[in-house]
Amino acid sequence: MTESARWTNKKYGGYHTRENLDDDVDLTRVGPAQPCGEYMRRFWFPVAMTEQLGERPVPIRILGEDLVIFRDLSGNIGLLHRHCSHRRMSLEYGRIEQHGIRCAYHGWQFDADGAILDTPGEPADSNIKEKICHGAYPIHEYKGLVFAYMGPPDEKPEFPILDSFNIEGHEMIPYSIHSPCNWLQESENSMDPFHSVFLHGRVNGPQFPGLEHFVALPVVQYFKRPEGFVYSHCRRQGDLIMMRFHDHITPTMAQNGGMFQKLDGPKVFGRTSLTKWVTPIDDTNSRKFGWRHFNDADEVLRQGDKSGVGWEKVDFYGQTAHRTQEERLSSPGDWEAWTSQGPINIHQREYLGTTDEGVSMLRTKLRKDIRAVQRGKPVAHPKGSEAAPYHTYGGDTVLRIPEDSLDDPGIMRQAQSQVAKIYFAADQYEEGDRREFISGEIHKHFGSEAVRGMGS
Ligand code: FES
Ligand SMILES: [Fe+2]
């Protein structure tokens, strides 16, 4: 028993609650050969924005590894270990060539895939370049983000295409934001629907236009998937109940409902306004990469600001350090929440309650998958192509269902379960057919009154 546990429920116990407790090493450490680091290396992650790739190589750090990224004059993107294989000058000072990059120190040339093309100071018959493997990782550039796979080459999964990457009418703008803390803190925020009630509502006042009703404690349901979770939280306003579905694909990819949304009428199968990943830089730094989806159907308040989305910025409240100290103190946002938990949160110091079910589920799944990788077993990946994308569910459904004074949470729970069932049943269809099936089933199950006035 820890010293602090012995002092449970005692007053003025500061002296007895100062132990140095370790962080949850297996879940947090991302470097090479660490259990979580090895697990993370089984997935594609965004590591840079296309806009970073210009005339000069860019030094980046991902999963505790120092790397350099560049686009050569042939258009190929290279993601290489940063230090030159010869005598380790940083390739951030290298010259970009037609093929690859040339080290500034003695002119060795590295192709985008790590092959050494030239060692100009060596004799013509030297085969030194055949004896060396300069570290490089495969990349996939997609819609303004550059993804990398840093795991064993023979276990590389196909780059997964999700349905949310190509939603009709959505304009996707990439962004990226640094947080000086362990990746898990930022990622857990996406599995914690209850923080919205307090951080974004009751404690600090409403921070998200159109979602003022989020101050009510929601009815929440979690649905486990091999690749992660889908969960939904439901609240009432008058005759309307809003079910907001979230996706969380482990380790860190997440999608939520409509940004700048409004609870003013029925809506069926609204889609996400945000697709995001948390990429670990190292154990105590992470970088959010994602796309803001701009569209009329899921952003009814039209308060999005495309010019406010990009490098170190996104157009909704509380996501970066770039606000005044006064603003951050008087109304802290998500960024303050996860970074102020410390460089690496100490789970032994937490007391998880009923609102933390999502966080617990996430940690349990991560631990299981990390152990699977340690035992040489495969982990589930989302699988999807442009023709048959992986299905996601992030978005809002709003139905007109009158309040039940006897058991309203029960009514909401039942409706939410039914809608989730319909969403999942629609997995057999693609795009328009999928939406049509969902609309038809909702109409059939809940009746026309539930969707009266939709879209008006
Ligand atoms: S250190 Fe790079 S070529 Fe010598
Ligand atoms: Fe939040």
Side-chain angles (χ1 to χ4, degrees), residues 81-371:
H81 280 163
R82 192 186 300 169
H83 296 283
C84 175
S85 283
H86 178 218
R87 296 213 26 250
R88 298 187 48 78
M89 181 176 181
S90 172
L91 292 172
E92 72 191 277
Y93 299 106
R95 298 284 177 269
I96 290 176
E97 302 258 332
Q98 193 63 35
H99 295 290
I101 190 173
R102 190 177 293 281
C103 178
Y105 210 0
H106 313 92
W108 285 25
Q109 183 186 0
F110 301 86
D111 209 347
D113 60 5
I116 302 176
L117 301 176
D118 193 18
T119 53
E122 298 303 304
D125 60 351
S126 164
N127 66 350
I128 188 168
K129 57 179 184 288
E130 273 95 60
K131 297 184 197 157
I132 299 166
C133 172
H134 187 86
Y137 295 112
I139 64 92
H140 186 87
E141 188 178 20
Y142 195 85
K143 299 198 176 202
L145 296 177
V146 183
F147 294 77
Y149 171 76
M150 294 171 62
D154 51 0
E155 292 179 35
K156 179 165 73 86
E158 287 295 310
F159 178 76
I161 303 292
L162 276 50
D163 57 357
S164 51
F165 294 0
N166 289 294
I167 302 173
E168 203 184 322
H170 281 212
E171 182 185 355
M172 290 155 70
I173 302 187
Y175 74 100
S176 178
I177 295 164
H178 173 246
S179 288
C181 66
N182 184 259
W183 69 276
L184 185 56
Q185 284 145 239
E186 197 173 349
S187 201
E188 286 173 348
N189 175 275
S190 303
M191 277 295 284
D192 172 11
F194 289 94
H195 83 270
S196 302
V197 177
F198 302 98
L199 184 70
H200 306 317
R202 288 190 195 176
V203 180
N204 303 305
Q207 296 178 336
F208 293 99
L211 298 180
E212 290 78 9
H213 64 288
F214 269 30
V215 292
L217 279 171
V219 170
V220 181
Q221 282 164 286
Y222 301 89
F223 306 93
K224 290 184 185 172
R225 320 276 289 174
E227 304 85 10
F229 304 93
V230 177
Y231 70 86
S232 174
H233 45 121
C234 184
R235 295 174 179 83
R236 169 175 297 286
Q237 187 172 285
D239 271 359
L240 297 171
I241 59 168
M242 178 184 197
M243 292 159 252
R244 168 156 287 204
F245 284 79
H246 289 245
D247 302 294
H248 195 108
I249 300 174
T250 41
T252 78
M253 186 270 180
Q255 293 183 146
N256 58 6
M259 200 69 68
F260 307 117
Q261 190 55 277
K262 196 166 190 260
L263 184 49
D264 65 351
K267 177 189 186 85
V268 168
F269 197 43
R271 303 308 309 265
T272 188
S273 283
L274 194 63
T275 302
K276 57 191 177 174
W277 290 258
V278 181
T279 297
I281 294 175
D282 52 29
D283 294 340
T284 55
N285 289 278
S286 55
R287 185 165 270 290
K288 174 96 32 96
F289 287 95
W291 295 291
R292 265 282 282 120
H293 297 242
F294 288 87
N295 75 101
D296 288 344
D298 301 301
E299 305 221 327
V300 294
L301 293 176
R302 315 262 194 292
Q303 290 185 9
D305 172 15
K306 293 175 192 170
S307 69
V309 180
W311 184 251
E312 285 298 327
K313 60 183 183 178
V314 74
D315 63 333
F316 59 99
Y317 193 85
Q319 303 303 302
T320 78
H322 313 303
R323 292 179 291 132
T324 65
Q325 180 77 342
E326 175 51 31
E327 191 184 333
R328 293 176 52 209
L329 289 170
S330 62
S331 188
D334 289 306
W335 195 90
E336 283 73 32
W338 62 61
T339 58
S340 70
Q341 288 173 305
I344 306 182
N345 191 12
I346 308 296
H347 295 168
Q348 292 188 72
R349 284 229 174 276
E350 294 177 321
Y351 292 91
L352 300 187
T354 51
T355 61
D356 305 303
E357 190 180 356
V359 169
S360 294
M361 287 170 83
L362 175 62
R363 289 182 190 172
T364 301
K365 182 177 193 311
L366 290 169
R367 216 179 288 284
K368 193 165 143 262
D369 287 352
I370 288 168
R371 289 204 183 116

